[in-house]
């Protein structure tokens, strides 16, 4: 079982438009509302693929009640830690070939909220294979919360993974999770490195930075590189996976699908990376933030390149 933790969940409202005219009235062609937040997206993607999964998240207010209803409708096992504040609402604007995301900040978690969230994780993680903490932290919430979730998962005997950013990612890294899943921008911030915009130079720079990070944490690093695929680095492997280019419909959930594919992809690192890149690519063709990407993904079209484990960087 894979347990995901989403410290800052959301309701995601997605509007599809032919084009956006700033400063003018825009009429959407479609309007959807989904339960979201990065950990929720990972779990929804895994559930659609038939992987046993569950979700822990803090929520309150009418928006929290609506989030609970949406999760129940999808049949996703979940535990809501009650809070005194509402769940945020994010907005995604879809134009042909372009995704615009507007994320609300969310509401702070009190120390009691944070303690209850960690306790729920420790309770539900017993018997889990993975505890996966994903997404941003609400404002004015201590950065060490994700690190505490990692430690709770470890105490329960689970492997741990983190997909976060900013100070929360730094704190989580210090806790030593088994897997870190940053994108290139987050990896650059974490390691203090500037990356080229794309192509082989980006892949090589991400590889070197990920190797240094993996050496520091003792775990593995999965780096999402957008249209350049993804890099996997651990003590024994340095792999790059890339799929044929697609014209994206919605990129909002691609990184979450990438992580879900890695978690569901089996034991072999090359097979896992092939599955991850295929799921991330398939997610770009969905209008929603999560769905049954496994049904349309084609791992055989993903090329895996063994880049060789480089010497440790400074």
């Amino acid at each position: 079982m894979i347990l995901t933790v989403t410290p800052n969940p959301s309701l995601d409202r997605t509007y599809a438009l032919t084009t956006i005219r700033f400063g003018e009235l825009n009429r959407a062609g479609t309007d959807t509302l989904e339960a979201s937040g990065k950990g929720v997206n990972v779990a929804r993607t895994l559930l659609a693929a038939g992987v046993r999964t569950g979700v822990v998240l803090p929520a309150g207010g009418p928006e929290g009640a609506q989030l609970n209803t949406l999760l129940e409708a999808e049949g996703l096992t979940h535990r809501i830690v009650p809070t005194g504040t509402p769940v945020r609402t994010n907005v995604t604007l879809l134009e042909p070939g372009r995704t615009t995301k507007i994320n609300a900040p969310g509401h702070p978690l009190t120390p009691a909220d944070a303690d209850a969230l960690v306790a729920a994780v420790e309770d539900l993680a017993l018997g889990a294979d993975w505890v996966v903490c994903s997404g941003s932290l609400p404002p004015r919430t201590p950065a060490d919360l994700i690190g505490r979730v990692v430690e709770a998962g470890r105490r329960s005997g689970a492997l741990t993974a983190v997909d976060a950013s900013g100070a929360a990612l730094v704190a989580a890294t210090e806790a030593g999770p088994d897997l870190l899943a940053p994108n290139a921008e987050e990896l650059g911030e974490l390691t203090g490195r500037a990356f080229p915009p794309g192509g082989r130079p980006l892949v090589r720079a991400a590889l070197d930075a990920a190797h240094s990070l993996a050496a520091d944490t003792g775990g593995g690093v999965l780096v999402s590189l957008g249209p350049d695929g993804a890099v996997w680095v651990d003590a024994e492997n340095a792999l790059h996976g890339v799929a044929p280019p697609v014209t994206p419909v919605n990129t909002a959930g691609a990184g979450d699908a990438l992580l879900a594919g890695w978690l569901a992809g089996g034991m072999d690192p090359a097979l896992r990376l092939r599955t991850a890149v295929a799921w991330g690519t398939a997610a770009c063709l969905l209008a929603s933030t999560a769905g049954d990407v496994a049904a349309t993904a084609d791992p055989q079209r993903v090329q895996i390149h063994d880049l060789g484990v480089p010497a440790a960087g400074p």
Side-chain angles (χ1 to χ4, degrees), residues 214-234:
D216 289 342
T217 63
V221 181
L222 177 68
V223 186
S224 172
L225 301 177
D228 290 300
V231 163
W232 167 257
V233 173
D234 60 15

CSV table of all heavy atoms in Angstrom, one decimal, residues 214-234:
chain,number,residue,atom,x,y,z
A,214,ALA,N,22.0,12.8,-4.1
A,214,ALA,CA,21.8,11.4,-3.7
A,214,ALA,C,23.0,10.9,-2.7
A,214,ALA,O,22.7,10.2,-1.8
A,214,ALA,CB,21.8,10.5,-4.9
A,215,ALA,N,24.2,11.4,-3.0
A,215,ALA,CA,25.3,11.1,-2.1
A,215,ALA,C,25.1,11.7,-0.7
A,215,ALA,O,25.4,11.1,0.3
A,215,ALA,CB,26.6,11.6,-2.7
A,216,ASP,N,24.5,12.9,-0.6
A,216,ASP,CA,24.2,13.5,0.7
A,216,ASP,C,23.1,12.8,1.5
A,216,ASP,O,23.2,12.7,2.7
A,216,ASP,CB,23.8,15.0,0.4
A,216,ASP,CG,25.0,15.9,0.0
A,216,ASP,OD1,26.2,15.4,0.1
A,216,ASP,OD2,24.7,17.0,-0.6
A,217,THR,N,22.1,12.4,0.8
A,217,THR,CA,20.9,11.8,1.5
A,217,THR,C,21.0,10.3,1.6
A,217,THR,O,20.3,9.7,2.5
A,217,THR,CB,19.6,12.1,0.7
A,217,THR,OG1,19.6,11.5,-0.6
A,217,THR,CG2,19.4,13.6,0.6
A,218,GLY,N,21.8,9.7,0.8
A,218,GLY,CA,21.9,8.2,0.8
A,218,GLY,C,20.7,7.5,0.2
A,218,GLY,O,20.5,6.3,0.2
A,219,GLY,N,19.8,8.3,-0.5
A,219,GLY,CA,18.7,7.8,-1.2
A,219,GLY,C,18.7,8.0,-2.7
A,219,GLY,O,19.8,8.2,-3.2
A,220,GLY,N,17.6,7.9,-3.3
A,220,GLY,CA,17.5,8.1,-4.8
A,220,GLY,C,16.9,9.4,-5.1
A,220,GLY,O,16.2,10.0,-4.3
A,221,VAL,N,17.2,9.9,-6.3
A,221,VAL,CA,16.6,11.2,-6.7
A,221,VAL,C,16.0,11.0,-8.1
A,221,VAL,O,16.7,10.6,-9.0
A,221,VAL,CB,17.7,12.3,-6.8
A,221,VAL,CG1,17.2,13.6,-7.2
A,221,VAL,CG2,18.4,12.4,-5.4
A,222,LEU,N,14.7,11.4,-8.2
A,222,LEU,CA,14.0,11.4,-9.5
A,222,LEU,C,13.7,12.8,-9.9
A,222,LEU,O,13.0,13.5,-9.2
A,222,LEU,CB,12.7,10.6,-9.3
A,222,LEU,CG,11.8,10.5,-10.5
A,222,LEU,CD1,12.4,9.7,-11.6
A,222,LEU,CD2,10.4,10.0,-10.1
A,223,VAL,N,14.3,13.3,-11.0
A,223,VAL,CA,14.2,14.7,-11.4
A,223,VAL,C,13.3,14.8,-12.6
A,223,VAL,O,13.7,14.2,-13.7
A,223,VAL,CB,15.6,15.3,-11.7
A,223,VAL,CG1,15.4,16.8,-11.9
A,223,VAL,CG2,16.5,15.0,-10.5
A,224,SER,N,12.2,15.5,-12.5
A,224,SER,CA,11.4,15.8,-13.7
A,224,SER,C,12.0,16.9,-14.5
A,224,SER,O,12.2,18.0,-14.0
A,224,SER,CB,10.0,16.2,-13.2
A,224,SER,OG,9.2,16.6,-14.3
A,225,LEU,N,12.1,16.6,-15.8
A,225,LEU,CA,12.7,17.6,-16.7
A,225,LEU,C,11.7,18.1,-17.8
A,225,LEU,O,12.1,18.6,-18.8
A,225,LEU,CB,14.0,17.0,-17.4
A,225,LEU,CG,15.1,16.6,-16.4
A,225,LEU,CD1,16.2,16.0,-17.2
A,225,LEU,CD2,15.6,17.8,-15.6
A,226,GLY,N,10.5,17.9,-17.5
A,226,GLY,CA,9.5,18.4,-18.5
A,226,GLY,C,9.6,17.6,-19.8
A,226,GLY,O,9.7,16.4,-19.9
A,227,PRO,N,9.6,18.3,-20.9
A,227,PRO,CA,9.7,17.7,-22.2
A,227,PRO,C,11.0,16.9,-22.4
A,227,PRO,O,11.1,16.1,-23.4
A,227,PRO,CB,9.6,18.8,-23.3
A,227,PRO,CG,10.0,20.1,-22.5
A,227,PRO,CD,9.5,19.8,-21.1
A,228,ASP,N,12.0,17.1,-21.6
A,228,ASP,CA,13.3,16.4,-21.6
A,228,ASP,C,13.2,15.1,-20.8
A,228,ASP,O,14.3,14.5,-20.6
A,228,ASP,CB,14.5,17.3,-21.2
A,228,ASP,CG,14.8,18.3,-22.2
A,228,ASP,OD1,15.1,18.0,-23.4
A,228,ASP,OD2,14.7,19.5,-21.9
A,229,GLY,N,12.1,14.7,-20.3
A,229,GLY,CA,11.9,13.4,-19.6
A,229,GLY,C,12.2,13.5,-18.2
A,229,GLY,O,11.8,14.4,-17.5
A,230,ALA,N,13.0,12.6,-17.7
A,230,ALA,CA,13.4,12.5,-16.3
A,230,ALA,C,14.7,11.8,-16.1
A,230,ALA,O,15.1,11.0,-16.9
A,230,ALA,CB,12.3,11.8,-15.5
A,231,VAL,N,15.3,12.1,-15.0
A,231,VAL,CA,16.6,11.5,-14.6
A,231,VAL,C,16.4,10.8,-13.3
A,231,VAL,O,15.7,11.3,-12.4
A,231,VAL,CB,17.7,12.6,-14.5
A,231,VAL,CG1,18.9,12.0,-13.7
A,231,VAL,CG2,18.2,13.1,-15.8
A,232,TRP,N,17.0,9.6,-13.2
A,232,TRP,CA,17.0,8.8,-12.0
A,232,TRP,C,18.5,8.6,-11.6
A,232,TRP,O,19.3,8.1,-12.4
A,232,TRP,CB,16.3,7.5,-12.1
A,232,TRP,CG,16.6,6.6,-10.9
A,232,TRP,CD1,17.5,5.5,-10.8
A,232,TRP,CD2,16.1,6.7,-9.6
A,232,TRP,NE1,17.5,4.9,-9.6
A,232,TRP,CE2,16.6,5.6,-8.8
A,232,TRP,CE3,15.1,7.6,-9.0
A,232,TRP,CZ2,16.3,5.5,-7.4
A,232,TRP,CZ3,14.8,7.4,-7.6
A,232,TRP,CH2,15.4,6.4,-6.9
A,233,VAL,N,18.8,8.9,-10.3
A,233,VAL,CA,20.1,8.7,-9.8
A,233,VAL,C,20.0,8.1,-8.4
A,233,VAL,O,19.3,8.5,-7.6
A,233,VAL,CB,20.9,10.0,-9.7
A,233,VAL,CG1,22.3,9.8,-9.0
A,233,VAL,CG2,21.2,10.6,-11.1
A,234,ASP,N,20.8,7.0,-8.2
A,234,ASP,CA,21.1,6.5,-6.8
A,234,ASP,C,22.5,6.0,-6.8
A,234,ASP,O,23.3,6.4,-7.7
A,234,ASP,CB,20.1,5.4,-6.5
A,234,ASP,CG,20.2,4.2,-7.4
A,234,ASP,OD1,21.1,4.1,-8.2
A,234,ASP,OD2,19.2,3.3,-7.4
